[in-house]
Amino acid sequence: MASANSDNKSTRERILEVAEEIIARDGIEGMRLRDLAEPIGIRVPSIYAHFRGREDVLTGVAERYIAHLTDQFPDDGGPDAMATLDKGVRRYAEFLARHTAYARLLLRDMAVGGMPELKQASGGTMVEHIETGPLAPMHQRVRDILARGARSGQFRPIPIEVFSRALFGLVLVSLAYPAGSSILDGGAQPADIEAAVDEIAESVRRVVLVL
């Protein structure tokens, strides 16, 4: 028999999974507590055993995104910084293309000038979480790749915060407004995702390379 703690955890995680499904389909504004309860077979009051309310559910979704983000941009320490960076950019772009709830979360964050739920999950503003919090190790890996590329003469010198803003902007715009139909609208074919990822990777190359 499952313990009460495991039951609570599974219910909480299932609520967040349903929330991500709804956000991916209907956007953040389309996520309502009653829509979270029905697919799980619980009533709305039961959600309050796991979350304080709708904003707390959004914080949980943001925390899941941040947990995934901490593993992005692995650095093999190889001499070809562009190859290492390109692999990381493609992996991150494809991740957001396949987890559109997170992409919609980031678009909303940009539109409102910073969602408190995302700020809480990431450990502060971009300037703050580059240096501290759960994302600092990932940012340090990117910083090391950029520095290695600059030392080799392959990259122009670029601060990590400038690169991060450029990357997020390029990824989100390319996913939301590709040449074909929006990747975020659902139903994107593998070829559509591949084309969007190729476009993002080429755009990032132009940002960092010495031309």
Side-chain angles (χ1 to χ4, degrees):
M1 178 180 294
S3 68
N5 284 340
S6 64
D7 285 344
N8 288 340
K9 180 179 180 180
S10 63
T11 301
R12 186 180 193 278
E13 291 303 305
R14 183 60 184 138
I15 291 170
L16 291 174
E17 289 172 359
V18 173
E20 290 181 10
E21 292 169 5
I22 293 172
I23 291 171
R25 185 185 67 239
D26 302 327
I28 290 177
E29 298 305 322
M31 192 199 77
R32 300 170 297 183
L33 291 184
R34 67 174 178 269
D35 297 326
L36 301 179
E38 292 175 2
I40 305 172
I42 62 177
R43 297 184 177 182
V44 171
S46 298
I47 294 177
Y48 290 95
H50 308 277
F51 299 95
R52 293 187 296 275
R54 183 178 180 277
E55 290 73 20
D56 199 28
V57 175
L58 284 175
T59 299
V61 172
E63 288 171 346
R64 283 162 63 98
Y65 165 67
I66 295 300
H68 286 296
L69 188 55
T70 59
D71 294 330
Q72 298 293 323
F73 290 92
D75 183 8
D76 59 7
D80 190 342
M82 189 66 251
T84 303
L85 187 66
D86 184 74
K87 185 181 298 183
V89 168
R90 288 175 178 276
R91 174 177 165 177
Y92 177 65
E94 184 171 350
F95 168 72
L96 282 186
R98 298 188 183 280
H99 296 80
T100 55
Y102 300 146
R104 290 186 181 277
L105 191 74
L106 294 174
L107 284 169
R108 179 64 172 167
D109 183 64
M110 293 175 65
V112 302
M115 289 179 62
E117 297 86 1
L118 196 56
K119 182 183 292 186
Q120 177 180 331
S122 64
T125 64
M126 176 178 286
V127 172
E128 291 168 337
H129 69 61
I130 281 176
E131 301 297 339
T132 61
L135 294 179
M138 183 272 290
H139 284 298
Q140 185 59 53
R141 292 194 298 273
V142 176
R143 184 186 277 121
D144 290 344
I145 296 168
L146 294 175
R148 197 159 64 247
R151 287 195 301 271
S152 70
Q154 193 176 20
F155 294 174
R156 64 185 181 88
I158 180 169
I160 179 64
E161 60 271 19
V162 173
F163 174 79
S164 295
R165 285 196 296 267
L167 173 66
F168 290 144
L170 288 169
V171 171
L172 294 176
V173 169
S174 296
L175 294 182
Y177 306 105
S181 59
S182 173
I183 304 297
L184 304 186
D185 287 342
Q189 299 300 310
D192 297 327
I193 294 176
E194 183 178 357
V197 170
D198 285 344
E199 178 184 340
I200 291 164
E202 179 58 30
S203 296
V204 172
R205 289 175 62 87
R206 295 172 183 168
V207 169
V208 300
L209 287 178
V210 174
L211 299 178

